[in-house]
Structures are given as structure tokens and as C-alpha cells.
Amino acid sequence: MCVYKGCLPQGAPTSPKLANLICAKLDARIHGYAGPKDIVYTRYADDITLSAKSLQKEEKAKAFIGTIIADEGLKINRTKTKLFGTTRQKKITGLVVSHNSVGIGRENLRELRAKIHHLFTGRSCEYSHINGYLAFTYGVDKKSYNKLHKFIGTMASKYPSSDANNYVHQKVKKEES
């Protein structure tokens, strides 16, 4: 019932549930290995994250967990596999993660500011995209959202006749209440 042309479609409403069903045993096995070694294991759909106090622990765990993954009939995408030391920025499922916060990151903040600027200057009309990105930011990074909200106010004052004033600024105001 969930297959289209012999394959599982990506992004279907059933995808998260199916991923969890398929990975239930995998999760149990990896948790069983990682927990006693003081390694934190998390998974979102098919993205696996291991966190430990040292890079050496992660390197050891990577090899063993690779055998568990293969034993479960799954494959690791080596091009997406990364090990981060304590000094490198950590990006997980598109978010920048540090020891005390999660956010969209400086690059995404700058990109979103540029897109908002393009809306107000008439070089773009991607209102739905921007509003979706703003809603996402509001959900995961209030600090960046507040900066963007302030920027939108600045743009609204600077470009009072822009079409963006009728949609983006109002949309942000609604999200605040």
C-alpha cells in the first residue's frame, strides 16, 4: 500500500513510520552497543548521529556500528559520513549543533536575509518559500528568527511600497501572537 512503481516514495506521510519500523531492531542494537560506552545515538529517518566525548570513541564506534548496519541489510552512504572533532562546527540534518544550542547557522541566516531583501526590492516573489523558512526558523532558532523579524521591520520601513509588506511582514506578525 505504501509502494509506488516498486519503490518507497520519499516524503510520503508514511515515510517516518516506515523508517521507524524498519530501523527498530537497528536502533536497539546500536543503543545496546553505544549506551554502555557513553556514546549518545540518535536517528532521524535515515540520518544517524553518534556523539561522544572524544573523537577516538566515535572512530571506534563507527567501525563496529558499520557491521551492525550491514548485518541489518542496510548500507552506509560513505559520502555523507563525517566525523567532527570538538573544534569543528557540527551540522546535523541541516541544523548547526553546539554543546548548548541548536540553530540554523550563520550561512543560512545570511542566505535568508538575502532572500528577504530580494522580496522587498522586487527581485523575487518567493513568498511561500520565505514564510516557510521563517516558520521553520521560528520553531528551531528563536534568536535567529528575532534577528530576521527585526530585519523585516527595517526592510518594511525602507521599502514602504513593496508588495512584500502585504505578505511577509504580516505573516511574521501573526506568528508572534
Side-chain angles (χ1 to χ4, degrees):
M1 290 174 60
C2 297
V3 177
Y4 178 72
K5 294 185 179 180
C7 296
L8 284 172
Q10 287 185 332
T14 53
S15 295
K17 185 66 175 172
L18 291 173
N20 289 339
L21 287 170
I22 291 166
C23 293
K25 188 177 171 192
L26 174 78
D27 290 341
R29 290 181 69 189
I30 293 177
H31 273 299
Y33 169 80
K37 296 185 175 3
D38 203 26
I39 298 170
V40 178
Y41 163 73
T42 55
R43 180 184 56 79
Y44 177 76
D46 64 344
D47 291 328
I48 290 174
T49 303
L50 300 170
S51 304
K53 297 213 185 290
S54 75
L55 191 58
Q56 292 78 16
K57 259 189 184 182
E58 289 177 19
E59 286 172 342
K60 275 186 184 177
K62 179 183 166 191
F64 188 76
I65 288 172
T67 62
I68 294 172
I69 291 169
D71 190 48
E72 290 298 318
L74 303 169
K75 285 195 302 186
I76 295 174
N77 184 341
R78 302 281 178 208
T79 62
K80 292 172 117 183
T81 303
K82 295 176 178 58
L83 287 172
F84 300 106
T86 55
T87 58
R88 283 197 48 207
Q89 182 185 67
K90 292 140 192 79
K91 271 191 173 180
I92 302 170
T93 63
L95 296 173
V96 177
V97 179
S98 71
H99 64 282
N100 59 357
S101 69
V102 175
I104 63 170
R106 193 177 322 138
E107 275 182 43
N108 287 334
L109 179 64
R110 285 182 183 155
E111 181 183 326
L112 191 47
R113 278 178 55 107
K115 288 180 178 192
I116 291 167
H117 184 266
H118 290 159
L119 284 179
F120 278 92
T121 58
R123 290 189 277 174
S124 171
C125 58
E126 295 182 326
Y127 297 111
S128 296
H129 174 74
I130 300 300
N131 283 320
Y133 210 156
L134 286 168
F136 169 75
T137 303
Y138 182 79
V140 297
D141 188 351
K142 299 278 192 298
K143 186 176 177 182
S144 290
Y145 176 83
N146 290 333
K147 288 178 183 178
L148 291 166
H149 177 63
K150 186 176 179 181
F151 181 68
I152 289 169
T154 302
M155 292 288 97
S157 297
K158 190 172 180 178
Y159 301 98
S161 61
S162 172
D163 288 342
N165 283 308
N166 298 324
Y167 191 69
V168 176
H169 194 57
Q170 290 175 358
K171 179 76 170 177
V172 174
K173 288 246 183 249
K174 283 181 192 172
E175 287 176 4
E176 279 188 330
S177 37

